[in-house]
Amino acid sequence: MTVGVDTSESAYHAFEWAARHAWSLRTDLQVYLADPGDTTVQRVLERLPMLTAHFRPSGDDPVAALVRASDSSATLVLGCKGEQHRSLGLGSLVLPVLRRTRCGVVVVRGRPPAIRGEYGWITAAVGGCEDPVVLRRAVEFCRTRRASLRLLHVHPPAQHGVSVPRDEAAIRRAVLFLRTTAPELTPEVVIESRHPHEALAALDSDLVVVGKGGQHDGVGLITRAALYHASCPVLVARPEPMHDDRVTL
């Protein structure tokens, strides 16, 4: 597992999230620091004495460094805003990394209880061609955290008197997929007829897993809504690499 850290508060939360998850997997954590002299992360490591972290400078091109790191990691973790982007919206590195990375990316954002993993729910946003990848990663987190699974299907509300039908077939496929791959999990199915940003902002979840999509500059509508509005960390799932985070980096 890899995490990118600068001196922002958002990056500190990302490091804390990544450290806890790496510790739960019993794997090492690869940390790319914008400021190699920054010692604030030591406070987290003191609470997780069994975690081994390897520190590296991210250099003058942090996007390139993190993309290279994705070659040897199944999950890359980022804060939603960097030290140069403290206003509304996303940090300047998030979308460039998402477009180029070769592994799943967790963008840490949302309510403090969600970041700390206190809700006990993992949410998989379903209804697209990437559903199998999304569901596999959601199941992985449910098993690691002993959390419950929620399937979320969002379809837009009626506009100008014309309603958009929900994708019943996609929901059935998701439920059937889980029966064969994770029979121990009985998902809660939530169907929302409202705008994606509204549904994602209202989640009581520790993580929402989405596919990358392909619209709007390489990121789909649901994914973009999650990155900007979700009330919890967002995992943008990618096809599984040939390695495992449980192998020491």
Side-chain angles (χ1 to χ4, degrees):
M1 174 169 286
T2 301
V3 59
V5 181
D6 59 19
T7 58
S8 66
E9 182 179 2
S10 176
Y12 176 81
H13 291 315
F15 176 78
E16 190 172 34
W17 189 98
R20 287 198 308 267
H21 191 64
W23 180 85
S24 70
L25 293 176
R26 303 298 188 265
T27 187
D28 291 4
L29 181 63
Q30 189 172 200
V31 185
Y32 281 78
L33 289 172
D35 179 5
D38 183 14
T39 60
T40 57
V41 296
Q42 296 302 324
R43 287 179 289 168
V44 176
L45 295 178
E46 289 170 0
R47 300 198 299 270
L48 298 169
M50 300 302 291
L51 175 66
T52 300
H54 306 282
F55 294 91
R56 297 171 173 83
S58 56
D60 296 331
D61 190 348
V63 171
L66 293 170
V67 170
R68 285 194 300 270
S70 73
D71 283 336
S72 58
S73 184
T75 308
L76 173 65
V77 183
L78 301 171
C80 63
K81 300 174 187 176
E83 58 190 353
Q84 302 299 323
H85 193 110
R86 301 180 186 274
S87 60
L88 296 175
L90 287 177
S92 59
L93 299 185
V94 175
L95 289 177
V97 169
L98 273 176
R99 293 188 200 107
R100 296 170 55 189
T101 191
R102 302 172 182 89
C103 68
V105 177
V106 173
V107 178
V108 177
R109 57 163 296 117
R111 304 171 189 154
I115 295 174
R116 293 192 296 265
E118 296 178 1
Y119 288 113
W121 285 95
I122 303 297
T123 301
V126 299
C129 62
E130 297 171 291
D131 281 358
V133 175
V134 169
L135 291 168
R136 287 191 189 99
R137 291 309 306 264
V139 166
E140 171 193 317
F141 274 82
C142 286
R143 288 171 172 165
T144 299
R145 299 192 175 197
R146 298 181 181 179
S148 300
L149 177 62
R150 175 186 295 123
L151 303 182
L152 173 67
H153 177 64
V154 180
H155 62 101
Q159 294 186 0
H160 308 295
V162 179
S163 61
V164 179
R166 61 193 188 189
D167 191 345
E168 299 282 1
I171 299 167
R172 289 195 298 270
R173 286 194 299 268
V175 172
L176 180 60
F177 180 90
L178 291 169
R179 286 177 185 169
T180 57
T181 59
E184 78 279 11
L185 295 175
T186 302
E188 175 187 75
V189 178
V190 176
I191 300 171
E192 293 276 14
S193 179
R194 52 178 167 171
H195 297 292
H197 69 274
E198 296 172 334
L200 291 159
L203 284 176
D204 289 334
S205 185
D206 298 329
L207 182 74
V208 59
V209 187
V210 298
K212 182 173 177 288
Q215 302 174 0
H216 302 291
D217 200 18
V219 177
L221 179 62
I222 294 293
T223 303
R224 183 169 288 267
L227 292 172
Y228 279 89
H229 300 285
S231 60
C232 62
V234 179
L235 167 57
V236 182
R238 300 297 297 272
E240 297 172 0
M242 297 303 294
H243 50 266
D244 192 326
D245 263 338
R246 291 168 178 79
V247 177
T248 300
L249 297 173

